[in-house]
PDB file of all heavy atoms in Angstrom:
ATOM      1  N   LEU A 459      43.744  43.076  32.800  1.00 90.00           N
ATOM      2  CA  LEU A 459      45.081  43.653  32.616  1.00 90.00           C
ATOM      3  C   LEU A 459      46.016  42.641  31.944  1.00 90.00           C
ATOM      4  O   LEU A 459      46.845  43.009  31.103  1.00 90.00           O
ATOM      5  CB  LEU A 459      45.642  44.091  33.971  1.00 90.00           C
ATOM      6  CG  LEU A 459      44.840  45.190  34.688  1.00 90.00           C
ATOM      7  CD1 LEU A 459      45.429  45.473  36.076  1.00 90.00           C
ATOM      8  CD2 LEU A 459      44.800  46.471  33.865  1.00 90.00           C
ATOM      9  N   VAL A 460      45.868  41.369  32.307  1.00 91.00           N
ATOM     10  CA  VAL A 460      46.651  40.313  31.654  1.00 91.00           C
ATOM     11  C   VAL A 460      46.331  40.284  30.165  1.00 91.00           C
ATOM     12  O   VAL A 460      47.227  40.165  29.318  1.00 91.00           O
ATOM     13  CB  VAL A 460      46.363  38.936  32.293  1.00 91.00           C
ATOM     14  CG1 VAL A 460      46.966  37.807  31.448  1.00 91.00           C
ATOM     15  CG2 VAL A 460      46.909  38.883  33.711  1.00 91.00           C
ATOM     16  N   TYR A 461      45.030  40.419  29.834  1.00 88.00           N
ATOM     17  CA  TYR A 461      44.643  40.416  28.423  1.00 88.00           C
ATOM     18  C   TYR A 461      45.321  41.550  27.662  1.00 88.00           C
ATOM     19  O   TYR A 461      45.816  41.354  26.540  1.00 88.00           O
ATOM     20  CB  TYR A 461      43.127  40.524  28.276  1.00 88.00           C
ATOM     21  CG  TYR A 461      42.746  40.883  26.861  1.00 88.00           C
ATOM     22  CD1 TYR A 461      42.841  39.929  25.846  1.00 88.00           C
ATOM     23  CD2 TYR A 461      42.377  42.178  26.519  1.00 88.00           C
ATOM     24  CE1 TYR A 461      42.564  40.264  24.534  1.00 88.00           C
ATOM     25  CE2 TYR A 461      42.094  42.519  25.215  1.00 88.00           C
ATOM     26  CZ  TYR A 461      42.193  41.564  24.220  1.00 88.00           C
ATOM     27  OH  TYR A 461      41.939  41.895  22.922  1.00 88.00           O
ATOM     28  N   MET A 462      45.357  42.739  28.252  1.00 83.00           N
ATOM     29  CA  MET A 462      45.981  43.881  27.562  1.00 83.00           C
ATOM     30  C   MET A 462      47.454  43.613  27.296  1.00 83.00           C
ATOM     31  O   MET A 462      48.025  44.108  26.323  1.00 83.00           O
ATOM     32  CB  MET A 462      45.794  45.154  28.401  1.00 83.00           C
ATOM     33  CG  MET A 462      44.341  45.621  28.456  1.00 83.00           C
ATOM     34  SD  MET A 462      44.067  47.026  29.574  1.00 83.00           S
ATOM     35  CE  MET A 462      44.811  48.348  28.617  1.00 83.00           C
ATOM     36  N   TRP A 463      48.077  42.791  28.140  1.00 85.00           N
ATOM     37  CA  TRP A 463      49.495  42.462  27.986  1.00 85.00           C
ATOM     38  C   TRP A 463      49.708  41.408  26.898  1.00 85.00           C
ATOM     39  O   TRP A 463      50.666  41.478  26.130  1.00 85.00           O
ATOM     40  CB  TRP A 463      50.041  41.982  29.329  1.00 85.00           C
ATOM     41  CG  TRP A 463      51.469  41.557  29.295  1.00 85.00           C
ATOM     42  CD1 TRP A 463      52.542  42.256  28.819  1.00 85.00           C
ATOM     43  CD2 TRP A 463      51.999  40.295  29.752  1.00 85.00           C
ATOM     44  NE1 TRP A 463      53.703  41.526  28.951  1.00 85.00           N
ATOM     45  CE2 TRP A 463      53.399  40.319  29.524  1.00 85.00           C
ATOM     46  CE3 TRP A 463      51.433  39.175  30.352  1.00 85.00           C
ATOM     47  CZ2 TRP A 463      54.217  39.244  29.868  1.00 85.00           C
ATOM     48  CZ3 TRP A 463      52.248  38.113  30.699  1.00 85.00           C
ATOM     49  CH2 TRP A 463      53.628  38.156  30.450  1.00 85.00           C
ATOM     50  N   ILE A 464      48.806  40.412  26.811  1.00 84.00           N
ATOM     51  CA  ILE A 464      49.021  39.288  25.894  1.00 84.00           C
ATOM     52  C   ILE A 464      48.211  39.400  24.600  1.00 84.00           C
ATOM     53  O   ILE A 464      48.367  38.554  23.714  1.00 84.00           O
ATOM     54  CB  ILE A 464      48.691  37.936  26.573  1.00 84.00           C
ATOM     55  CG1 ILE A 464      47.175  37.843  26.856  1.00 84.00           C
ATOM     56  CG2 ILE A 464      49.494  37.746  27.839  1.00 84.00           C
ATOM     57  CD1 ILE A 464      46.741  36.460  27.300  1.00 84.00           C
ATOM     58  N   ALA A 465      47.367  40.438  24.480  1.00 76.00           N
ATOM     59  CA  ALA A 465      46.396  40.504  23.385  1.00 76.00           C
ATOM     60  C   ALA A 465      47.008  40.248  22.016  1.00 76.00           C
ATOM     61  O   ALA A 465      46.434  39.518  21.201  1.00 76.00           O
ATOM     62  CB  ALA A 465      45.688  41.861  23.404  1.00 76.00           C
ATOM     63  N   ASP A 466      48.153  40.831  21.741  1.00 74.00           N
ATOM     64  CA  ASP A 466      48.733  40.725  20.403  1.00 74.00           C
ATOM     65  C   ASP A 466      49.889  39.733  20.331  1.00 74.00           C
ATOM     66  O   ASP A 466      50.651  39.731  19.366  1.00 74.00           O
ATOM     67  CB  ASP A 466      49.194  42.106  19.931  1.00 74.00           C
ATOM     68  CG  ASP A 466      48.021  43.066  19.769  1.00 74.00           C
ATOM     69  OD1 ASP A 466      46.990  42.624  19.232  1.00 74.00           O
ATOM     70  OD2 ASP A 466      48.125  44.225  20.197  1.00 74.00           O
ATOM     71  N   LYS A 467      50.006  38.895  21.372  1.00 82.00           N
ATOM     72  CA  LYS A 467      51.104  37.918  21.393  1.00 82.00           C
ATOM     73  C   LYS A 467      50.644  36.503  21.053  1.00 82.00           C
ATOM     74  O   LYS A 467      51.474  35.634  20.770  1.00 82.00           O
ATOM     75  CB  LYS A 467      51.761  37.916  22.780  1.00 82.00           C
ATOM     76  CG  LYS A 467      52.401  39.261  23.147  1.00 82.00           C
ATOM     77  CD  LYS A 467      53.051  39.220  24.513  1.00 82.00           C
ATOM     78  CE  LYS A 467      53.682  40.588  24.846  1.00 82.00           C
ATOM     79  NZ  LYS A 467      54.309  40.605  26.185  1.00 82.00           N
ATOM     80  N   PHE A 468      49.329  36.252  21.106  1.00 85.00           N
ATOM     81  CA  PHE A 468      48.807  34.917  20.828  1.00 85.00           C
ATOM     82  C   PHE A 468      47.634  35.030  19.859  1.00 85.00           C
ATOM     83  O   PHE A 468      46.917  36.030  19.831  1.00 85.00           O
ATOM     84  CB  PHE A 468      48.326  34.225  22.118  1.00 85.00           C
ATOM     85  CG  PHE A 468      49.411  33.985  23.125  1.00 85.00           C
ATOM     86  CD1 PHE A 468      49.651  34.906  24.142  1.00 85.00           C
ATOM     87  CD2 PHE A 468      50.208  32.854  23.058  1.00 85.00           C
ATOM     88  CE1 PHE A 468      50.654  34.701  25.075  1.00 85.00           C
ATOM     89  CE2 PHE A 468      51.213  32.634  23.991  1.00 85.00           C
ATOM     90  CZ  PHE A 468      51.442  33.561  24.984  1.00 85.00           C
ATOM     91  N   ASN A 469      47.427  33.975  19.074  1.00 87.00           N
ATOM     92  CA  ASN A 469      46.296  33.940  18.159  1.00 87.00           C
ATOM     93  C   ASN A 469      44.979  33.974  18.928  1.00 87.00           C
ATOM     94  O   ASN A 469      44.873  33.428  20.032  1.00 87.00           O
ATOM     95  CB  ASN A 469      46.343  32.688  17.286  1.00 87.00           C
ATOM     96  CG  ASN A 469      47.382  32.802  16.181  1.00 87.00           C
ATOM     97  OD1 ASN A 469      47.876  33.897  15.884  1.00 87.00           O
ATOM     98  ND2 ASN A 469      47.727  31.677  15.578  1.00 87.00           N
ATOM     99  N   ARG A 470      43.976  34.598  18.331  1.00 87.00           N
ATOM    100  CA  ARG A 470      42.646  34.661  18.965  1.00 87.00           C
ATOM    101  C   ARG A 470      42.097  33.252  19.215  1.00 87.00           C
ATOM    102  O   ARG A 470      41.591  32.947  20.285  1.00 87.00           O
ATOM    103  CB  ARG A 470      41.649  35.411  18.075  1.00 87.00           C
ATOM    104  CG  ARG A 470      42.148  36.687  17.419  1.00 87.00           C
ATOM    105  CD  ARG A 470      42.223  37.851  18.357  1.00 87.00           C
ATOM    106  NE  ARG A 470      42.387  39.095  17.637  1.00 87.00           N
ATOM    107  CZ  ARG A 470      43.375  39.970  17.853  1.00 87.00           C
ATOM    108  NH1 ARG A 470      44.308  39.706  18.747  1.00 87.00           N
ATOM    109  NH2 ARG A 470      43.434  41.104  17.178  1.00 87.00           N
ATOM    110  N   ARG A 471      42.160  32.414  18.198  1.00 92.00           N
ATOM    111  CA  ARG A 471      41.603  31.054  18.313  1.00 92.00           C
ATOM    112  C   ARG A 471      42.293  30.260  19.405  1.00 92.00           C
ATOM    113  O   ARG A 471      41.652  29.526  20.155  1.00 92.00           O
ATOM    114  CB  ARG A 471      41.735  30.315  16.966  1.00 92.00           C
ATOM    115  CG  ARG A 471      40.668  30.669  15.955  1.00 92.00           C
ATOM    116  CD  ARG A 471      41.057  30.247  14.540  1.00 92.00           C
ATOM    117  NE  ARG A 471      41.723  28.960  14.486  1.00 92.00           N
ATOM    118  CZ  ARG A 471      41.130  27.794  14.257  1.00 92.00           C
ATOM    119  NH1 ARG A 471      39.826  27.757  14.051  1.00 92.00           N
ATOM    120  NH2 ARG A 471      41.803  26.670  14.210  1.00 92.00           N
ATOM    121  N   THR A 472      43.613  30.402  19.513  1.00 93.00           N
ATOM    122  CA  THR A 472      44.354  29.671  20.548  1.00 93.00           C
ATOM    123  C   THR A 472      43.872  30.057  21.937  1.00 93.00           C
ATOM    124  O   THR A 472      43.594  29.189  22.785  1.00 93.00           O
ATOM    125  CB  THR A 472      45.862  29.958  20.429  1.00 93.00           C
ATOM    126  OG1 THR A 472      46.314  29.564  19.133  1.00 93.00           O
ATOM    127  CG2 THR A 472      46.651  29.212  21.498  1.00 93.00           C
ATOM    128  N   LEU A 473      43.757  31.357  22.185  1.00 94.00           N
ATOM    129  CA  LEU A 473      43.307  31.822  23.498  1.00 94.00           C
ATOM    130  C   LEU A 473      41.884  31.363  23.791  1.00 94.00           C
ATOM    131  O   LEU A 473      41.570  30.932  24.914  1.00 94.00           O
ATOM    132  CB  LEU A 473      43.400  33.346  23.579  1.00 94.00           C
ATOM    133  CG  LEU A 473      44.812  33.942  23.691  1.00 94.00           C
ATOM    134  CD1 LEU A 473      44.765  35.460  23.594  1.00 94.00           C
ATOM    135  CD2 LEU A 473      45.476  33.528  25.004  1.00 94.00           C
ATOM    136  N   LEU A 474      41.006  31.450  22.804  1.00 95.00           N
ATOM    137  CA  LEU A 474      39.618  31.025  23.018  1.00 95.00           C
ATOM    138  C   LEU A 474      39.521  29.530  23.294  1.00 95.00           C
ATOM    139  O   LEU A 474      38.764  29.094  24.179  1.00 95.00           O
ATOM    140  CB  LEU A 474      38.761  31.388  21.796  1.00 95.00           C
ATOM    141  CG  LEU A 474      38.448  32.877  21.598  1.00 95.00           C
ATOM    142  CD1 LEU A 474      37.754  33.105  20.257  1.00 95.00           C
ATOM    143  CD2 LEU A 474      37.576  33.412  22.729  1.00 95.00           C
ATOM    144  N   MET A 475      40.308  28.725  22.578  1.00 96.00           N
ATOM    145  CA  MET A 475      40.226  27.267  22.774  1.00 96.00           C
ATOM    146  C   MET A 475      40.840  26.841  24.103  1.00 96.00           C
ATOM    147  O   MET A 475      40.277  26.013  24.817  1.00 96.00           O
ATOM    148  CB  MET A 475      40.880  26.538  21.595  1.00 96.00           C
ATOM    149  CG  MET A 475      40.055  26.609  20.318  1.00 96.00           C
ATOM    150  SD  MET A 475      40.659  25.518  18.994  1.00 96.00           S
ATOM    151  CE  MET A 475      42.131  26.406  18.480  1.00 96.00           C
ATOM    152  N   VAL A 476      41.987  27.422  24.449  1.00 96.00           N
ATOM    153  CA  VAL A 476      42.609  27.091  25.741  1.00 96.00           C
ATOM    154  C   VAL A 476      41.708  27.550  26.883  1.00 96.00           C
ATOM    155  O   VAL A 476      41.438  26.796  27.829  1.00 96.00           O
ATOM    156  CB  VAL A 476      44.012  27.735  25.853  1.00 96.00           C
ATOM    157  CG1 VAL A 476      44.549  27.596  27.274  1.00 96.00           C
ATOM    158  CG2 VAL A 476      44.973  27.084  24.869  1.00 96.00           C
ATOM    159  N   GLY A 477      41.231  28.798  26.787  1.00 96.00           N
ATOM    160  CA  GLY A 477      40.345  29.316  27.824  1.00 96.00           C
ATOM    161  C   GLY A 477      39.090  28.484  27.962  1.00 96.00           C
ATOM    162  O   GLY A 477      38.695  28.102  29.082  1.00 96.00           O
ATOM    163  N   GLY A 478      38.441  28.162  26.838  1.00 97.00           N
ATOM    164  CA  GLY A 478      37.208  27.381  26.881  1.00 97.00           C
ATOM    165  C   GLY A 478      37.410  25.989  27.438  1.00 97.00           C
ATOM    166  O   GLY A 478      36.560  25.474  28.180  1.00 97.00           O
ATOM    167  N   ALA A 479      38.547  25.355  27.107  1.00 97.00           N
ATOM    168  CA  ALA A 479      38.824  24.006  27.619  1.00 97.00           C
ATOM    169  C   ALA A 479      38.989  24.011  29.139  1.00 97.00           C
ATOM    170  O   ALA A 479      38.414  23.175  29.847  1.00 97.00           O
ATOM    171  CB  ALA A 479      40.078  23.442  26.945  1.00 97.00           C
TER     172      ALA A 479
END
Side-chain angles (χ1 to χ4, degrees):
L459 298 176
V460 169
Y461 165 74
M462 291 174 73
W463 177 52
I464 67 170
D466 296 317
K467 297 181 180 179
F468 297 94
N469 284 345
R470 317 284 194 235
R471 280 163 40 94
T472 301
L473 287 173
L474 288 172
M475 288 190 287
V476 170

